[in-house]
Amino acid sequence: MSNKEKIFDESISLFSEFGYDRVSIRQIAKKVGIKESSIYNHYKSKESILDEILDYYIFEMTKEEIPLSKAEKNLDVSFDYFYKTGLELYTSKLSEPRMMKITRIILIESYHNEKIKEFVKTSIIKYAVEGWIELFELMKEKELIRKDCNTAQLAQSFYYYGLFLLIEHFIINYPEDDEEFLKTLGLKSENHMKLLFDSVKIKDNANIRLECEKDYFEVENLVRNSFWNIYRPGAYEHLIVHNLRKDKSFIKELAYVIEKDGRIIGHINYSKGLLDYENEAIILGPVCIDKNYQNKGYGSKLIGFTLKLIEKQNMPYVFVVGDENYYRRFGFESASKYNIFLEGTDTTEENPFFMIKVFQHDKINFKKAIFSNPDLFNVDERDVDEFDKKFEFKEKKFWTHN
């Protein structure tokens, strides 16, 4: 460790224990084991040491900050997932001894040090509250909380409680066990946030239930509309859903719909494919949400609900073919990590779109294996065109290549 790093660390320790005003340059030099004049080779003054400490604190607290775009995806999974992800990141950072000491310095000195008082008002409180306001506004857009709620008041009510818990630990109850405090901080903050969220959340009347025979046409039409002209001219996923119900690979007890205001807005299927060393293995899909209800968390509810059922049924793992950025939030990872590949793909390279969620790791033997979809996933275009006659006409979009 360089002398500058030693000066930085010892200053943090001394400021935290005795207060900024009560510590002199001479004391810092003595603690580091250098001459007092040597400190000026690295810092112009005691205040410049403080400036660097404050800059370091903000940098560390924000360098892994979840951007709004990522926060939006986390909200799509569930509010609990979104909040716990942020809370774990915060408590993990705060648990570092250096950060604990700096937090104590900031809270103590904010009462009489004008520089730190301004730092707390601007860099800590104002910045954080504005961030929470932005997130609560996003929650309004996603129809998670009521449109008439005051997002500024919500943000302040949440953030000020967390600030109080820090003051209680670092000042009122000091010294107190840091590890125990962090556990309490997480639990109390989570309970407080749930209390606030419950007071403003929109009571969703969406209902997840098993698909039944009377749903078949409505579901097929929903699947057709959801996939139409997305991956190819027209769609064939609705024919797969139709054929799957009559096939031995179909898992009827995992075919669910999500219903809202009396109509089906989402659907999910699971079926059994073939894996070299296990014979049968489950794959998720097709899954879809009505275009008018996408990006509101309904897909995540449906996927999350059915994955819990799979785990309870003692199934070792489940596969999916899809967007790795989307499915990663549910615990899916590249199947090639486990030496498993999708039939027809290159087995020498990673296939990020072919993913697995493992519930029982002891069931994976890491031998190279090939997974094959049910045969009915391979559809004939003529069969699709014939099946489409049952539905309202939709124009296919053809792409031209220059």
Side-chain angles (χ1 to χ4, degrees):
M1 185 183 287
S2 68
N3 278 343
K4 185 172 184 180
E5 289 171 322
K6 290 178 184 176
I7 294 167
F8 185 76
D9 272 347
E10 292 299 344
S11 296
I12 290 171
S13 296
L14 289 168
F15 294 163
S16 173
E17 187 175 354
F18 301 108
Y20 175 76
D21 288 339
R22 294 182 180 180
V23 175
S24 65
I25 288 289
R26 181 175 297 174
Q27 285 174 286
I28 298 170
K30 184 178 179 182
K31 198 75 174 174
V32 174
I34 58 175
K35 294 179 180 178
E36 182 178 344
S37 59
S38 297
I39 291 209
Y40 298 105
N41 293 329
H42 306 284
Y43 295 99
K44 291 189 297 183
S45 62
K46 188 174 77 167
E47 187 175 3
S48 67
I49 299 174
L50 179 62
D51 288 340
E52 188 162 315
I53 291 171
L54 298 181
D55 288 344
Y56 171 83
Y57 188 81
I58 286 298
F59 174 77
E60 287 297 313
M61 279 299 189
T62 58
K63 71 178 181 181
E64 294 175 9
E65 193 171 47
I66 300 173
L68 195 61
S69 58
K70 177 71 182 296
E72 182 171 5
K73 291 179 180 178
N74 289 347
L75 276 174
D76 284 343
V77 178
S78 71
F79 177 73
D80 280 348
Y81 176 82
F82 153 74
Y83 182 65
K84 284 178 181 176
T85 301
L87 184 61
E88 285 169 6
L89 190 64
Y90 174 73
T91 53
S92 170
K93 184 55 63 179
L94 193 60
S95 67
E96 297 169 14
R98 183 187 274 181
M99 296 298 284
M100 275 286 194
K101 290 176 184 178
I102 300 175
T103 303
R104 175 168 162 76
I105 294 168
I106 290 168
L107 292 175
I108 291 174
E109 297 300 326
S110 64
Y111 286 92
H112 50 81
N113 184 302
E114 288 302 319
K115 178 188 283 286
I116 294 183
K117 184 187 291 185
E118 188 58 34
F119 173 82
V120 170
K121 285 165 61 177
T122 305
S123 300
I124 293 184
I125 295 177
K126 183 174 180 288
Y127 176 82
V129 169
E130 285 176 351
W132 277 103
I133 290 172
E134 196 172 3
L135 282 165
F136 284 128
E137 288 293 340
L138 175 62
M139 290 168 74
K140 275 188 180 182
E141 288 176 24
K142 299 180 81 64
E143 297 181 2
L144 294 172
I145 60 176
R146 298 196 318 266
K147 296 285 186 185
D148 63 344
C149 67
N150 186 320
T151 52
Q153 190 172 10
L154 265 177
Q156 291 165 0
S157 298
F158 166 69
Y159 189 73
Y160 291 163
Y161 177 70
L163 197 57
F164 164 74
L165 293 177
L166 292 175
I167 292 170
E168 187 179 49
H169 173 67
F170 287 104
I171 298 176
I172 299 172
N173 295 336
Y174 185 82
E176 186 179 58
D177 184 81
D178 289 341
E179 197 171 323
E180 277 303 311
F181 162 69
L182 287 173
K183 291 178 186 175
T184 305
L185 173 68
L187 184 62
K188 286 183 175 179
S189 296
E190 191 174 335
N191 289 339
H192 181 67
M193 193 53 168
K194 283 180 180 177
L195 185 68
L196 288 176
F197 180 60
D198 286 345
S199 69
V200 295
K201 73 178 181 181
I202 293 174
K203 309 299 188 232
D204 193 356
N205 64 351
N207 175 47
I208 297 176
R209 62 168 176 81
L210 276 169
E211 178 191 61
C212 55
E213 192 171 345
K214 68 179 178 63
D215 302 323
Y216 288 178
F217 182 77
E218 187 178 355
V219 164
E220 289 161 9
N221 195 45
L222 169 68
V223 174
R224 180 175 183 257
N225 290 337
S226 299
F227 284 98
W228 195 261
N229 289 336
I230 299 295
Y231 300 112
R232 66 195 64 82
Y236 59 61
E237 286 79 4
H238 55 308
L239 179 57
I240 291 176
V241 169
H242 176 79
N243 290 339
L244 195 54
R245 299 191 188 100
K246 300 172 287 185
D247 194 78
K248 64 180 182 180
S249 66
F250 180 52
I251 307 177
K252 186 176 181 180
E253 61 270 24
L254 288 175
Y256 274 84
V257 297
I258 186 164
E259 200 173 38
K260 184 176 173 66
D261 300 324
R263 56 186 290 261
I264 294 171
I265 64 165
H267 174 260
I268 193 167
N269 265 331
Y270 290 84
S271 54
K272 296 174 185 175
L274 295 176
L275 185 63
D276 289 354
Y277 57 74
E278 279 289 333
N279 193 24
E280 287 185 341
I282 297 172
I283 185 161
L284 184 164
V287 57
C288 70
I289 296 294
D290 186 307
K291 290 181 180 179
N292 295 317
Y293 292 91
Q294 290 177 4
N295 299 314
K296 297 181 186 295
Y298 292 112
S300 295
K301 286 180 182 178
L302 202 50
I303 294 169
F305 177 83
T306 50
L307 286 176
K308 285 178 183 176
L309 290 179
I310 289 172
E311 186 173 15
K312 285 179 182 176
Q313 291 173 19
N314 208 31
M315 298 177 184
Y317 39 74
V318 59
F319 293 100
V320 70
V321 176
D323 181 355
E324 66 269 26
N325 293 319
Y326 179 75
Y327 284 102
R328 194 178 293 124
R329 69 185 73 173
F330 302 104
F332 282 92
E333 51 191 331
S334 175
S336 54
K337 173 182 174 182
Y338 298 94
N339 216 13
I340 303 172
F341 300 87
L342 183 64
E343 183 183 31
T345 61
D346 189 346
T347 60
T348 63
E349 295 183 358
E350 182 183 8
N351 305 139
F353 58 87
F354 178 54
M355 309 182 77
I356 185 172
K357 179 175 174 65
V358 181
F359 297 111
Q360 300 172 24
H361 283 81
D362 60 329
K363 298 290 186 180
I364 303 281
N365 65 21
F366 290 94
K367 291 180 182 176
K368 181 173 281 190
I370 304 296
F371 174 82
S372 304
N373 279 313
D375 290 340
L376 61 83
F377 276 44
N378 299 312
V379 297
D380 188 299
E381 195 68 38
R382 291 168 296 182
D383 293 335
V384 177
D385 290 339
E386 184 62 31
F387 186 61
D388 266 341
K389 292 176 182 178
K390 293 174 57 177
F391 304 90
E392 181 183 345
F393 174 78
K394 292 172 76 73
E395 189 172 345
K396 293 182 180 180
K397 179 181 178 181
F398 293 88
W399 292 270
T400 56
H401 299 280
N402 296 327

